[in-house]
Amino acid sequence: MKEDYLSIGKRRKLIEEIRKAGIKNEEVLQAMSEIPRHLFIEKNLERSALLDHAYENKAIPIVAGQTISQPYTVAFQTELLEPAKGLKVLEIGTGCGYQTAILLKLGMKVYSIERQRELFESTKEFLPTLGFTGARLFYGDGFKGVPVYAPYQRIIVTCAAPYIPDALVDQLDKGGIMVIPVTKGDTEIMTKIIKDANGQISLKEFGNFKFVPMLPNVQR
Ligand code: SAH
């Protein structure tokens, strides 16, 4: 794997910044410190000048009009998910696979779905080149989830949902957690949904974030 000391140093700095911003889950920080974010960005950039920003705490536009989320947002959302080894997690919006890689690093059984064929194909090819094997990647509409492998103990939605899709709530296991940014006006409210042992749902909101929209159907 192409890793230079400069990238490792910049990444270490970024992780410290995220820690100072309030992320406490050491496993999440550790996973992020081991993943070469710049390679995910490099692979998907239209303008290579943006690569210089790989280890700044900001979102970066990539191919197909998509964005790789701000590192703090990724860390915050992953922490809220209460990740743990061996849990089955469904990710909506594979994108460039950065979040997928974090979930794999955390030892989770990852199922991830993407609606853009171009991104789906390239990420499917790219992840194994960095040693990230074992994720099951699907091309399809995340509003429908991936019912064949349900239920999932965790669901993470990495695009802004106009509402909480019923199919995803149905596919969440009892005792499970879903983290989903829900659009309200021109911002997204990070929302944690907990399904208790009896199948009862409760919701908690965690402030405003910015995501690309969750869109219906697939794009060829
Ligand atoms: N987790 C990704 C984030 C990518 S941005 C990463 O780490 O890079 C969000 C992604 O959600 C985009 O790739 C977008 O195409 C995808 N998306 C939007 N609506 C979707 C839907 N209905 N089903 C599946 N993916 C969707």
Side-chain angles (χ1 to χ4, degrees):
M1 188 165 78
K2 197 168 80 186
E3 264 285 63
D4 52 81
Y5 286 110
L6 194 61
S7 302
I8 294 170
K10 284 186 188 166
R11 193 154 67 238
R12 202 168 285 155
K13 248 183 85 190
L14 172 66
I15 300 304
E16 282 321 303
E17 213 177 295
I18 292 173
R19 190 197 302 276
K20 281 200 193 102
I23 303 300
K24 293 184 185 67
N25 187 317
E26 284 302 326
E27 288 176 5
V28 172
L29 292 165
Q30 182 61 34
M32 287 180 71
S33 77
E34 289 175 24
I35 295 173
R37 185 171 189 261
H38 65 289
L39 298 183
F40 289 81
I41 292 169
E42 185 180 62
K43 171 82 178 58
N44 290 283
L45 273 185
E46 268 158 2
R47 291 192 298 129
S48 62
L50 288 172
L51 190 57
D52 292 342
H53 301 294
Y55 291 111
E56 289 170 23
N57 192 18
K58 50 172 134 170
I60 293 189
I62 56 170
V63 288
Q66 297 306 311
T67 302
I68 171 163
S69 298
Q70 184 187 20
Y72 173 75
T73 303
V74 173
F76 187 86
Q77 202 178 4
T78 311
E79 182 170 71
L80 270 187
L81 193 67
E82 299 180 27
K85 230 188 190 103
L87 293 185
K88 255 171 90 177
V89 58
L90 174 64
E91 176 189 26
I92 310 298
T94 315
C96 71
Y98 179 64
Q99 176 75 64
T100 312
I102 294 173
L103 298 170
L104 287 170
K105 240 327 169 225
L106 288 162
M108 301 180 85
K109 296 191 190 113
V110 185
Y111 300 75
S112 184
I113 182 165
E114 170 58 51
R115 69 177 289 282
Q116 289 207 33
R117 184 172 275 287
E118 182 191 350
L119 270 174
F120 163 74
E121 300 283 359
S122 73
T123 299
K124 193 177 158 158
E125 221 180 83
F126 175 65
L127 279 173
T129 68
L130 296 184
F132 294 108
T133 53
R136 291 190 207 197
L137 305 180
F138 304 91
Y139 168 58
D141 178 5
F143 276 101
K144 302 189 178 85
V146 182
V148 278
Y149 292 101
Y152 304 94
Q153 281 105 44
R154 298 288 184 270
I155 298 179
I156 180 168
V157 180
T158 69
C159 38
Y163 55 87
I164 298 165
D166 285 342
L168 298 184
V169 176
D170 289 347
Q171 289 168 38
L172 187 64
D173 204 357
K174 286 179 177 155
I177 296 171
M178 166 155 58
V179 183
I180 177 169
V182 183
T183 304
K184 221 182 223 173
D186 58 3
T187 181
E188 275 81 59
I189 314 290
M190 190 68 85
T191 308
K192 179 171 181 171
I193 297 167
I194 298 169
K195 193 184 254 190
D196 73 14
N198 301 316
Q200 292 276 54
I201 299 295
S202 61
L203 283 181
K204 271 189 208 163
E205 295 185 341
F206 290 85
N208 296 0
F209 290 84
K210 206 62 214 149
F211 284 86
V212 299
M214 184 173 184
L215 300 172
N217 308 317
V218 293
Q219 183 177 312
R220 275 159 228 285

